[in-house]
Amino acid sequence: MIRRPAVAGAFYERDPAALRRRIEWCFEHELGPGTLPAVGSMRRIKGVIAPHAGYMYSGPVAAHAYHELVSDGIPGTLVIICPNHTGMGSGVSLMQQGAWETPLGTVEIDSELAEAIVRESGIIDLDETAHLAEHSCEVHVPFIQYFTDNFRIVPVTMWMQGHETAADVGHAVASAIRETGRDAAVIASTDFTHYSPQDIAEATDRRIIDRITAMDDTGMYGVISELNATMCGYGPVAATIIASRILGATECDLLRYATSGDVTGDRSSVVGYASLVLR
């Protein structure tokens, strides 16, 4: 099946030319990297963490992750792990066959790698339903399509985000990448604090990010629990840390942190965004 875009015209532009201009705006914005990247070929990156709000809010922050990924060399397959905001589908859902459409074209699902991930996992279900209206995987795809159409994806969405679930997903993804010999990287889709004043959001998010940059997934869960944090994709982040570590990543760097208030000027109630890279 072709999975049609659910949030084109809302989270990003529906018109292809306008979408390309918006992506360029994300890279060139004062909160962004400043320039478009040149496509490299080093392939050191095992995972990235990037936000998934509307491009006008989080796009410049997300552009930092994609600047690094593109400069390093775009992998043949991207495993995109996202939270489930809709409640549709099963607890952890993978779409195994077909393609995803955006205004910039279609991207095939890497069915062989998807099948291997399900085989290695004890909990991931094959379930297209969870993906049909979910935005948090979709918004990442055009950032790569801007630079190339020569890649595939494996979309995974997590309603269940406990540490044991994330560990299962992370181990399954890493084992499947090794088993298939794929040139692949993992994308964790998350926003951080939701709807707190800027100073509280920054303080909370900095403590969580400190654990992420230490690649301490266990500690991250501890901080989130202690602070009752409203980060929406902690499971995908933990799964990506675990998978990246198994695949050889030894460091995680914060590329950019900002909030919606840094874009709109309204810092009374903000959402936090961060881009990080694991290599």
Side-chain angles (χ1 to χ4, degrees):
M1 67 170 287
I2 301 293
R3 189 268 189 190
R4 305 296 180 189
V7 294
F11 280 62
Y12 58 83
E13 283 72 7
R14 186 180 300 276
D15 175 74
L19 176 53
R20 288 183 175 277
R21 290 194 297 272
R22 173 64 74 182
I23 291 171
E24 291 165 2
W25 174 88
C26 291
F27 280 96
E28 294 166 356
H29 192 276
E30 63 181 4
L31 295 176
T35 60
L36 289 163
V39 179
S41 59
M42 296 180 69
R43 298 288 208 280
R44 295 180 303 149
I45 291 176
K46 306 304 180 183
V48 299
I49 299 165
H52 56 235
Y55 282 13
M56 71 169 291
Y57 297 107
S58 69
V61 174
H64 284 269
Y66 291 108
H67 194 285
E68 289 295 303
L69 187 64
V70 171
S71 298
D72 191 66
I74 301 168
T77 300
L78 294 167
V79 180
I80 308 175
I81 310 176
C82 69
N84 184 329
H85 293 85
T86 69
M88 297 169 61
S90 61
V92 184
S93 306
L94 182 150
M95 189 169 171
Q96 182 185 3
Q97 296 181 339
W100 281 40
E101 180 183 82
T102 81
L104 301 185
T106 58
V107 178
E108 296 290 327
I109 293 174
D110 187 335
S111 296
E112 182 184 353
L113 180 58
E115 181 180 352
I117 291 172
V118 173
R119 188 167 59 247
E120 293 290 332
S121 169
I123 59 172
I124 300 176
D125 295 320
L126 296 176
D127 187 350
E128 298 170 352
T129 308
H131 296 272
L132 297 181
E134 179 57 54
H135 69 274
S136 59
C137 178
E138 177 182 327
V139 297
H140 297 284
V141 177
F143 270 105
I144 301 300
Q145 286 179 301
Y146 180 93
F147 297 97
T148 182
D149 58 5
N150 187 28
F151 72 103
R152 293 180 291 177
I153 63 170
V154 177
V156 182
T157 185
M158 299 178 65
W159 175 253
M160 298 163 52
Q161 295 195 50
H163 199 189
E164 288 187 11
T165 300
D168 179 282
V169 173
H171 280 91
V173 168
S175 296
I177 289 172
R178 283 180 163 176
E179 175 192 326
T180 57
R182 283 294 190 272
D183 170 26
V186 187
I187 297 171
S189 178
T190 191
D191 296 336
F192 283 78
T193 293
H194 287 66
Y195 312 125
S196 290
Q198 177 99 0
D199 58 343
I200 294 174
E202 287 186 347
T204 299
D205 293 344
R206 290 294 178 182
R207 285 197 58 191
I208 297 170
I209 290 168
D210 281 347
R211 293 300 87 216
I212 296 172
T213 55
M215 298 178 67
D216 178 10
D217 46 290
T218 302
M220 182 192 73
Y221 275 88
V223 172
I224 290 169
S225 177
E226 175 193 342
L227 301 179
N228 196 25
T230 53
M231 174 184 179
C232 60
Y234 53 93
V237 169
T240 297
I241 291 172
I242 292 164
S244 298
R245 191 164 56 227
I246 293 169
L247 293 170
T250 58
E251 62 183 43
C252 177
D253 297 317
L254 174 65
L255 302 172
R256 180 72 182 188
Y257 175 83
T259 75
S260 57
D262 295 319
V263 176
T264 67
D266 179 3
R267 294 178 170 83
S268 63
S269 180
V270 306
V271 179
Y273 311 123
S275 275
L276 301 98
V277 61
L278 298 106
R279 54 188 158 215

